[in-house]
């Protein structure tokens, strides 16, 4: 059994997508098949990026898996530029109906769609919801997918389910005592919330601490880190509550490690940016946590559902 096919870009500059997802899932003891859907000179945080699509590789992989009689247990998507890549994902699900599809619709943040994406990518992402067993949008991406601002997270999640998604995880929403703060709220609070609505109507909420430097309250690669941690934990445990808690805690740790470095840079008067997760610092810390050294993540004691 192949635990996870990861279909995301590989970037030279900026730590995101495959550079984050692959090592995290491997550290969890999962058998992975990383496949670059594009090769990029940088993440979108850097100006002037160039990219080449790798369209066709997922189709080739599906053909090879069928010949080898290997069943993929899941597919994890991410940033997707080329419209043909969305079609490949649809076809992959048709070829492997039992394969769980976790769609991380990397479309935008801070109220705006990423300028590096073609305008048609939004409609393609909405269409992808029809095959999504799990979808993990942030507040901005939820707004883009729905075509409207919805402050009540439950309503937003239900609307995404009406578009086809089975289980909805709304990540990085403002924490609030009521449902009035949501996709339209600013990320200036000391904590945030992740909300989950299952296909059977179960609800779960987890909170996390925010860390920022000056006006910066988010780091490039944070969403990829959360999605990979959530998906890997869910595959190991089958427990979305535990997966949300683990993902929130460890993503917060990665942000804190990166934030400490950026603060030191700022204090020294050094020009910094673009701000991103510093994977060379984060990965050793997360590896220690996932191995259970100094943390409560005893992965080898978990009963993996194979």
């Amino acid at each position: 059994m192949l635990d996870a096919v990861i279909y995301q870009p590989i970037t030279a500059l900026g730590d995101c997508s495959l550079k984050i997802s692959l090592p995290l899932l491997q550290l969890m003891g999962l058998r992975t098949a990383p496949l670059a859907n594009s090769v990029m000179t940088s993440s979108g945080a850097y100006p002037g990026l160039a990219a080449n699509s790798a369209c066709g590789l997922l189709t080739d992989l599906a053909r090879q898996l069928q010949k080898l009689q290997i069943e993929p247990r899941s597919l994890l998507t991410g940033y997707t530029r080329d419209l043909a890549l969305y079609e490949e994902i649809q076809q992959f699900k048709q070829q492997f109906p039992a394969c769980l599809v976790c769609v991380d619709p990397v479309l935008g943040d801070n109220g705006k769609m990423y300028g590096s994406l073609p305008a048609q990518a939004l409609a393609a992402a909405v269409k992808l919801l029809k095959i999504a067993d799990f979808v993990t949008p942030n507040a901005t991406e939820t707004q883009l997918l729905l075509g409207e601002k919805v402050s009540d997270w439950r309503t937003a999640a239900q609307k995404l389910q009406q578009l086809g998604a089975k289980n909805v995880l709304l990540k990085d929403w403002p924490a609030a005592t009521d449902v009035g703060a949501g996709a339209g709220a600013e990320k200036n609070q000391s904590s945030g919330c992740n909300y989950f609505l299952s296909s059977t109507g179960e609800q779960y909420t987890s909170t996390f601490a925010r860390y920022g430097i000056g006006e910066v309250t988010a780091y490039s690669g944070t969403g990829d880190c959360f999605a990979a941690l959530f998906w890997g934990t869910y595959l190991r445990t089958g427990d979305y509550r535990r997966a949300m808690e683990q993902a929130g805690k460890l993503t917060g740790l990665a942000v804190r490690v990166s934030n400490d470095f950026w603060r030191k840079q700022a204090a020294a008067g050094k020009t910094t940016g673009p701000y991103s997760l510093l994977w060379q610092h984060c990965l050793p810390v997360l590896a220690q946590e996932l191995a259970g050294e100094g943390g409560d993540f005893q992965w080898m004691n978990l009963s993996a559902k194979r």
Side-chain angles (χ1 to χ4, degrees), residues 199-211:
S199 58
T200 58
E202 295 178 344
Q203 301 176 8
Y204 188 70
T205 302
S206 66
T207 60
F208 61 93
R210 292 192 189 280
Y211 301 92

Side-chain angles (χ1 to χ4, degrees), residues 90-156:
Q90 298 271 5
Q91 294 170 6
F92 192 87
K93 176 65 173 180
Q94 292 174 4
Q95 291 172 286
F96 302 101
C99 177
L100 293 175
V101 177
C102 181
V103 174
D104 187 22
V106 183
L107 296 168
D109 205 353
N110 297 315
K112 297 180 180 180
M113 186 170 173
Y114 293 133
S116 56
L117 288 171
Q120 301 92 328
L122 179 56
V126 172
K127 184 178 178 181
L128 207 59
L129 294 178
K130 296 183 182 299
I131 65 166
D133 295 284
F134 290 79
V135 63
T136 61
N138 62 27
T140 295
E141 290 156 354
T142 300
Q143 176 183 322
L144 290 169
L145 290 168
L146 296 179
E148 60 178 321
K149 288 185 177 181
V150 181
S151 59
D152 182 342
W153 78 266
R154 295 174 184 83
T155 301

Side-chain angles (χ1 to χ4, degrees), residues 273-294:
Y275 294 101
S276 63
L277 291 183
L278 298 167
W279 210 233
Q280 69 271 28
H281 299 309
C282 297
L283 188 57
V285 176
L286 296 185
Q288 185 178 26
E289 291 291 329
L290 291 170
E293 298 175 15

Side-chain angles (χ1 to χ4, degrees), residues 46-61:
Y46 291 79
L49 75 87
N52 287 321
S53 173
C55 185
L57 284 180
L58 188 61
T59 300
D60 292 337
L61 176 63

